[in-house]
Amino acid sequence: TVRVGNSFSSGRTIEAGVVQGSKLGPQCFSIFVNDITRNQETLLCMYADDTAIMSTGVSQQAITDNLNSYLAELGRWLIQWKIKAAKQKLYPLLGKHSKLSLDNKLLTYKSLLRPIITYASPVWGAAAKTHLKKIESLQNAIARQITNSPWYFRNKNILKDLKLQTIAKHTLKIAKTFFRKIDNSDNTAIQSIPEYDPASPRKKRRARSQLIR
């Protein structure tokens, strides 16, 4: 039954899902999703109704296969229990039909999306330029979506108008803060990490290498 003011709807039977807003809702939801499908190739991280799927492998293709295989299993489980996975939650907020102002769209991107895109960037910030370019392209696409810019507008001009740093500059800023905190940390485990010269030639680039790009 749904109440609006002093009016009540007729009763309906809930055949799947959990009533939202009830005191027992969180406990009931935990029971409801307790048998969610799992396998040995992936790790499932759940918090409330948010779910992250992670996997490791010897190659990118192996990881992709693991994730695709699990998503197929998860899809069958969702259908069985009549659960609809939320997709593109932020698109209505950032798309061209959004009622948000440009400032609020930009704030949404900076506070919600960019932290995910640049997560752990002090570690992967020294990756190959071809990989970093893919992340830059993602931000460029989001910036175009936010501003609803036509195809002939240059990406660098859009970022300049939005006062939005490139991913490379933003991750460099994050790295400087991160490594400064490490250098000044009084944690004994961190202090015991051997120092190395990021400028020395190596077959494998180290995390601090991005500070001297």
Side-chain angles (χ1 to χ4, degrees):
T1 301
V2 177
R3 176 182 176 181
V4 179
N6 295 323
S7 301
F8 293 84
S9 69
S10 57
R12 294 289 190 276
T13 301
I14 298 177
E15 298 180 354
V18 176
V19 178
Q20 291 185 329
S22 63
K23 293 183 178 180
L24 291 177
Q27 289 80 5
C28 291
F29 183 78
S30 296
I31 296 172
F32 186 70
V33 299
N34 185 59
D35 67 338
I36 188 171
T37 182
R38 291 178 170 84
N39 62 30
Q40 295 182 345
E41 287 74 29
T42 56
L43 175 64
L44 202 62
C45 300
M46 302 180 66
Y47 179 78
D49 61 344
D50 291 327
T51 304
I53 308 166
M54 297 184 289
S55 179
T56 59
V58 296
S59 66
Q60 181 178 346
Q61 186 59 49
I63 296 173
T64 301
D65 291 342
N66 291 342
L67 293 175
N68 285 334
S69 176
Y70 177 78
L71 288 175
E73 296 179 23
L74 180 62
R76 290 189 288 269
W77 182 85
L78 293 173
I79 293 173
Q80 177 185 358
W81 295 108
K82 301 179 181 179
I83 300 175
K84 184 178 181 181
K87 298 182 291 185
Q88 298 180 339
K89 286 184 176 180
L90 291 178
Y91 180 77
L93 297 178
L94 302 180
K96 63 181 180 180
H97 299 299
S98 172
K99 302 299 182 182
L100 290 180
S101 66
L102 180 60
D103 288 341
N104 284 334
K105 287 182 180 180
L106 189 59
L107 178 62
T108 300
Y109 168 68
K110 287 182 176 180
S111 59
L112 296 179
L113 278 181
R114 191 169 65 177
I116 297 175
I117 295 173
T118 58
Y119 180 75
S121 58
V123 176
W124 55 255
K129 291 183 179 179
T130 52
H131 299 316
L132 299 178
K133 187 176 179 180
K134 295 178 182 178
I135 304 178
E136 292 283 6
S137 298
L138 175 60
Q139 175 171 265
N140 291 339
I142 295 173
R144 285 186 172 277
Q145 179 177 305
I146 288 175
T147 56
N148 194 25
S149 298
W151 63 269
Y152 50 83
F153 277 26
R154 298 176 67 88
N155 290 326
K156 66 177 183 180
N157 292 335
I158 297 174
L159 296 182
K160 182 179 179 180
D161 290 342
L162 292 175
K163 297 181 180 179
L164 193 62
Q165 288 182 320
T166 62
I167 291 295
K169 290 183 178 180
H170 183 66
T171 55
L172 178 60
K173 179 181 178 181
I174 294 174
K176 287 180 178 179
T177 302
F178 175 76
F179 289 117
R180 183 173 63 250
K181 289 182 178 179
I182 284 183
D183 292 337
N184 297 327
S185 175
D186 56 0
N187 185 293
T188 54
I190 293 178
Q191 291 177 349
S192 64
I193 298 176
E195 295 185 1
Y196 65 91
D197 181 9
S200 63
R202 296 175 181 272
K203 292 183 178 180
K204 293 184 178 180
R205 301 181 68 185
R206 302 292 292 273
R208 285 182 185 258
S209 299
Q210 65 175 312
L211 299 178
I212 57 173
R213 286 184 298 188

